[in-house]
């Protein structure tokens, strides 16, 4: 694509979507400074094992949903140069990137993001993820955010602003190496869905909460703690929302005072 003139291009939606056999892609000549949408751009490029996007100007991009969806052979991805200050959609962004071991998102500006549904779902080899700079004050959907991140042993989301979030369903499902989660700054007063939220987090021993923790609006909480066998006082007969309260009240959670 070295002869492509992309200076006037404004959308690259699904540009290489389902190029299943593509193993290499040279985009070094691409001028993306006018592009506003990149959703699905590399979706299902299942054979790509490397991708150099260092020249990408993403300063006008508003949508990155499913951008790297099921790029299942990518072992590394350097997007530290990405300007995401206008992006509102990051849902499915890295879903199914099964071989990624690390991902540097320290420069990500998420201040306008509304949807993070399944953003890291099935990134099963990720061993670390630093999200301390994430601004989540506008996010409404965090469902399946870390679903099947089986290699994550630690996850610091203590800085997350969840005041607008309504859906946390399956948020940590099959995070089977996590031992602790700190929700002390989590405001869950608008959450309506927590089904399967911690399902199969077998090594999870502690979930810290504060007085901001509330399940008052939740209408769907099926199997919220299913197979969370390391939580204090866990009973297989009690996997539901009735246990989403401090241990002092007979629940599974640890109130941090």
């Amino acid at each position: 694509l070295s002869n492509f003139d992309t200076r006037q291009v404004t959308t690259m939606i699904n540009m290489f979507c389902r190029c299943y056999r593509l193993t290499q892609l040279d985009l070094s000549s691409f001028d993306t400074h006018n592009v506003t949408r990149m959703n699905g751009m590399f979706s299902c490029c299942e054979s790509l094992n490397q991708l150099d996007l260092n020249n990408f100007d993403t300063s006008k991009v508003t949508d990155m949903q499913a951008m790297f969806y099921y790029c299942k052979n990518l072992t590394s991805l350097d997007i530290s140069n990405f300007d995401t200050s206008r992006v509102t959609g990051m849902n499915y962004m890295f879903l199914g990137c099964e071989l990624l071991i690390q991902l540097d998102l320290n420069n990500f500006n998420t201040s306008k993001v509304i949807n993070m549904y399944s953003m890291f779902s099935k990134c099963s080899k990720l061993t670390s993820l630093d999200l301390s700079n994430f601004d989540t004050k506008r996010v409404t959907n965090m469902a399946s955010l870390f679903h099947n991140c089986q290699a994550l042993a630690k996850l610091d989301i203590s800085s997350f602003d969840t005041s607008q979030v309504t859906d946390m369903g399956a948020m940590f499902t099959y995070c089977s190496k996590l031992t602790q989660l700190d929700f002390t700054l989590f405001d869950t007063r608008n959450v309506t869905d927590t089904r399967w939220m911690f399902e199969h987090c077998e090594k999870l021993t502690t979930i810290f909460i504060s007085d901001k923790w509330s399940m008052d609006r939740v209408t769907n909480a099926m199997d919220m703690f299913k197979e969370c066998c390391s939580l204090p006082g866990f009973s297989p007969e009690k996997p539901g929302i009735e246990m989403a309260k401090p241990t002092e009240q007979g629940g599974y959670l640890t109130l941090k005072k």
Side-chain angles (χ1 to χ4, degrees):
L1 306 177
S2 57
N3 64 322
F4 267 35
D5 182 350
T6 60
R7 286 174 296 178
Q8 302 303 316
V9 177
T10 59
T11 178
M12 290 186 172
I13 297 174
N14 295 332
M15 188 171 183
F16 303 102
C17 181
R18 298 180 183 175
C19 291
Y20 297 117
R21 297 184 181 182
L22 195 64
T23 58
Q24 295 184 0
L25 192 57
D26 183 359
L27 304 177
S28 57
S29 64
F30 267 34
D31 182 338
T32 61
H33 82 278
N34 278 318
V35 178
T36 60
R37 300 188 69 182
M38 289 184 172
N39 41 310
M41 188 171 178
F42 306 103
S43 178
C44 296
C45 287
E46 296 180 351
S47 300
L48 269 183
N49 51 45
Q50 58 184 1
L51 195 55
D52 185 352
L53 305 177
N54 284 322
N55 63 307
F56 267 36
D57 180 346
T58 61
S59 57
K60 292 182 181 178
V61 177
T62 60
D63 196 344
M64 288 185 174
Q65 65 172 304
M67 188 172 178
F68 305 103
Y69 179 90
Y70 273 103
C71 288
K72 59 198 315 184
N73 265 310
L74 276 182
T75 55
S76 63
L77 183 63
D78 183 0
I79 47 177
S80 57
N81 63 306
F82 271 28
D83 180 345
T84 59
S85 57
R86 295 190 182 188
V87 177
T88 59
M90 289 187 174
N91 41 313
Y92 306 108
M93 189 170 179
F94 306 103
L95 187 152
C97 290
E98 298 171 356
L99 296 184
L100 277 184
I101 296 174
Q102 57 186 7
L103 197 56
D104 183 358
L105 303 178
N106 284 323
N107 290 328
F108 260 39
N109 182 339
T110 61
S111 60
K112 291 188 178 178
V113 177
I114 296 170
N115 196 342
M116 287 186 174
Y117 176 74
S118 286
M119 186 174 176
F120 305 105
S121 182
K122 298 185 180 180
C123 290
S124 53
K125 292 287 197 299
L126 268 183
T127 57
S128 63
L129 199 56
D130 183 358
L131 305 178
S132 56
N133 66 313
F134 265 36
D135 182 345
T136 61
K137 64 178 177 292
R138 296 189 183 188
V139 178
T140 60
N141 194 338
M142 289 187 177
S144 298
L145 183 54
F146 306 104
H147 167 251
N148 213 25
C149 288
Q150 296 180 16
L152 277 181
K154 292 182 180 179
L155 184 62
D156 184 359
I157 49 174
S158 58
S159 62
F160 271 28
D161 182 339
T162 60
S163 57
Q164 300 301 314
V165 178
T166 60
D167 196 345
M168 290 185 176
M171 190 172 174
F172 305 97
T173 303
Y174 286 96
C175 287
S176 51
K177 285 192 175 181
L178 282 181
T179 59
Q180 180 177 300
L181 284 170
D182 188 345
F183 289 171
T184 50
L185 292 181
F186 269 38
D187 182 346
T188 58
R189 284 173 288 189
N190 286 314
V191 176
T192 60
D193 195 332
T194 59
R195 58 186 143 175
W196 314 305
M197 187 172 177
F198 307 102
E199 183 182 359
H200 281 281
C201 290
E202 290 98 344
K203 292 187 178 180
L204 195 59
T205 61
T206 312
I207 303 174
F208 288 111
I209 59 166
S210 71
D211 55 7
K212 292 183 179 181
W213 179 264
S214 171
M215 296 284 100
D216 290 350
R217 293 192 180 183
V218 175
T219 56
N220 196 337
M222 183 173 64
D223 290 336
M224 187 174 175
F225 299 99
K226 185 178 180 181
E227 305 297 335
C228 292
C229 51
S230 298
L231 286 175
F234 178 76
S235 169
E237 285 76 40
K238 295 180 179 180
I241 193 173
E242 73 276 8
M243 305 306 289
K245 56 189 177 184
T247 53
E248 293 87 344
Q249 299 174 20
Y252 296 145
L253 312 182
T254 302
L255 184 62
K256 188 180 280 190
K257 300 175 182 177

